[in-house]
């Protein structure tokens, strides 16, 4: 009996050691990038999720760049990942999407955003959904409809904030943008609804970047519950629309319902609902983060604020009626504002990683990426590279003078890259520009508290940035 136990224990130890060896030394047809796979099952996930209070490249990436170079391997939430901080490598990954790589995100993300979300779809289905979104956020819609609506919303919000002792800018701008976007998407009116849709998204966001432990009380569990409630609300709305096909709301949901009615449609109910969910999240959370960071940077850089104000005041002076609404021509003329936005998104790095998956064994930069492995392109490492941007941690909008950016490049990927360049980029830039125009032409502000930059693998914001909004003397 004891001999059998010894043999069993010996075999268990041998199997465990072999398993650990295989974990640390994955099979490959060629030379893998250097790096560590971390602990079995856990990998290096905990270090990856650790908050970062620096404006520099995240410590997880920075430490491994120093140790292994610009391309290294790791393991996150049980998945082998090659991390790239190399601009040439990144560009190659983006250009080869659909051939050697495809869009991919960890299982935890697909659980949160939905298995049929636009980021997980490929080929014709992805292009189809992209064209649907352009119907809402494309140039013609921005010019003919959204410009006026965004400006009207900004003026109303700023007027209300100016009567309050202090404003938590991140929370206030998120609410402003969410209400506008939800109205355009699903005709949602928080004053008329029995449910607070935004509260569900707040719960969702708080657990979005957290360790994926799905048990009651954890941030991840709360995140999934927030998604569940929001999806239930969207599903109810869809059923109501289908039950009253003759009633039109003039929103994006009308368009989605019409697509679902088509005889040979490729759109399913689950894909449609996941699309609505992702649009509601993406259109307000990232933009409110960018706006808060912009105001924080302007607060810390008076010369930039002065130059920005000059640009917008000059536009007002050229009008016959200084208080008339913004025109598309005026918007397109705001070159310094565009530079401020570029510099904000470069320095804030709201998108810390862009994921792809290798469809076959790929040879690149002297390394082999095995089929099925994930690749994480790391924009912050490019945007904060001193060989690319002089004094990269300094907020300097003048560095963009004379540079026109209409998409991603090897050195600028704040809105993604390749065929998946963010379809809502123009909408985001329009919202930021219009808000800044309304803000600097009529108001000044004082920081009251907060403003520390806090970063996680998915969020960047001046923590608890409260301001007091004061109307200028005209």
């Amino acid at each position: 009996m004891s001999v059998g136990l010894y043999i069993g224990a010996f075999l268990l130890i041998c199997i465990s050691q072999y398993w650990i060896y295989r974990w640390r030394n994955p099979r490959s047809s060629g030379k893998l990038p250097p790096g560590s796979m971390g602990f079995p099952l856990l990998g290096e996930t905990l270090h990856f999720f650790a908050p970062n209070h620096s404006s520099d490249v995240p410590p997880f990436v920075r430490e491994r760049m120093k140790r292994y170079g610009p391309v290294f391997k790791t393991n996150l939430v049980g998945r082998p990942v090659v991390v790239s901080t190399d601009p040439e490598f990144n560009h190659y990954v983006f250009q080869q999407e659909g051939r050697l790589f495809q869009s991919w995100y960890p299982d935890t993300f697909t659980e949160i955003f939905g298995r049929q979300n636009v980021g997980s779809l490929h080929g014709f289905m992805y292009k189809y959904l992209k064209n649907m979104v352009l119907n809402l956020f494309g140039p013609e819609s921005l010019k003919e409809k959204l410009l006026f609506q965004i400006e009207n919303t900004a003026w109303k919000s700023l007027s209300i904030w100016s009567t309050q002792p202090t404003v938590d800018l991140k929370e206030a701008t998120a609410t402003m943008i969410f209400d506008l976007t939800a109205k355009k998407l699903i005709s949602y009116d928080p004053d008329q609804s029995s449910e607070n849709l935004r509260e569900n998204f707040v719960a969702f966001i708080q657990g979005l970047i957290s360790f994926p432990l799905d048990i009651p009380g954890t941030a991840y569990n709360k995140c999934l519950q927030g998604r569940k409630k929001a999806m239930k609300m969207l599903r109810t709305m869809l059923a109501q629309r289908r039950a009253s096909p003759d009633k039109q709301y003039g929103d994006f949901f009308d368009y989605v319902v019409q697509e679902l009615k088509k005889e040979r449609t490729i759109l399913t109910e689950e894909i449609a609902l996941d699309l609505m969910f992702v649009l509601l999240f993406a259109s307000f959370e990232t933009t409110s983060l960018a706006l808060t960071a912009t105001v924080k940077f302007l607060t810390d850089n008076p010369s930039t604020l002065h130059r920005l104000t000059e640009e917008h005041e000059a536009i007002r002076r050229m009008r016959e009626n200084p208080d008339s609404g913004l025109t598309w021509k005026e918007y397109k003329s705001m070159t310094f504002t565009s530079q401020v936005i570029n510099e904000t998104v470069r320095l804030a790095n709201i998108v810390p990683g862009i994921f792809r998956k290798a469809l076959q064994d790929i040879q690149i930069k002297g390394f082999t990426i095995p089929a099925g492995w994930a690749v994480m392109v790391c924009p912050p490492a490019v945007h904060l590279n001193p060989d690319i941007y002089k004094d990269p941690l300094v907020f300097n909008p003048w560095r963009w003078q004379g540079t026109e950016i209409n998409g991603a490049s090897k050195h600028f990927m704040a809105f993604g890259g390749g065929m998946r360049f963010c379809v809502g980029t123009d909408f985001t830039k329009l919202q930021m520009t219009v808000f800044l125009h309304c803000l600097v032409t009529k108001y000044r502000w004082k920081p009251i508290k907060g403003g520390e930059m806090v970063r996680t693998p998915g969020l960047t914001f001046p923590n608890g940035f409260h301001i007091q909004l004061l109307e200028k003397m005209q």
Side-chain angles (χ1 to χ4, degrees), residues 259-273:
E259 287 294 306
L260 287 169
K261 282 182 181 178
K262 290 182 178 178
E263 186 176 344
R264 295 185 178 181
T265 184
I266 61 172
L267 187 65
T268 67
E269 183 175 310
E270 286 305 310
I271 292 175
L273 291 173

Side-chain angles (χ1 to χ4, degrees), residues 194-209:
S194 60
E195 292 190 61
N196 191 323
L197 183 60
R198 168 127 165 76
E199 280 187 2
N200 294 330
F201 274 88
V202 169
F204 168 78
I205 290 161
Q206 288 174 347
L208 177 61
I209 303 301

Side-chain angles (χ1 to χ4, degrees), residues 291-361:
L291 270 177
T292 306
T294 303
V295 175
K296 175 64 171 64
F297 290 141
L298 292 173
T299 302
D300 296 339
N301 295 270
S303 61
T304 304
L305 176 58
H306 178 71
R307 176 66 186 88
L308 182 74
T309 304
E310 281 186 335
E311 177 170 85
H312 289 272
E313 291 287 5
I315 288 172
R316 288 185 77 241
R317 286 195 299 269
M318 291 178 65
R319 298 173 182 163
E320 288 187 16
N321 177 6
D323 295 322
S324 62
L326 265 172
T327 67
W328 188 255
K329 183 178 180 181
E330 289 173 342
Y331 164 65
K332 299 300 286 186
S333 73
M334 297 174 182
T335 54
F336 188 73
T337 306
S338 180
Q339 292 169 212
V340 168
I341 292 172
N342 287 340
E343 184 69 349
T344 294
V345 296
R346 179 196 70 83
L347 196 55
N349 285 303
I350 293 168
V351 178
I354 303 170
F355 288 89
R356 297 291 185 266
K357 182 175 74 173
L359 296 176
Q360 62 188 57
D361 285 2

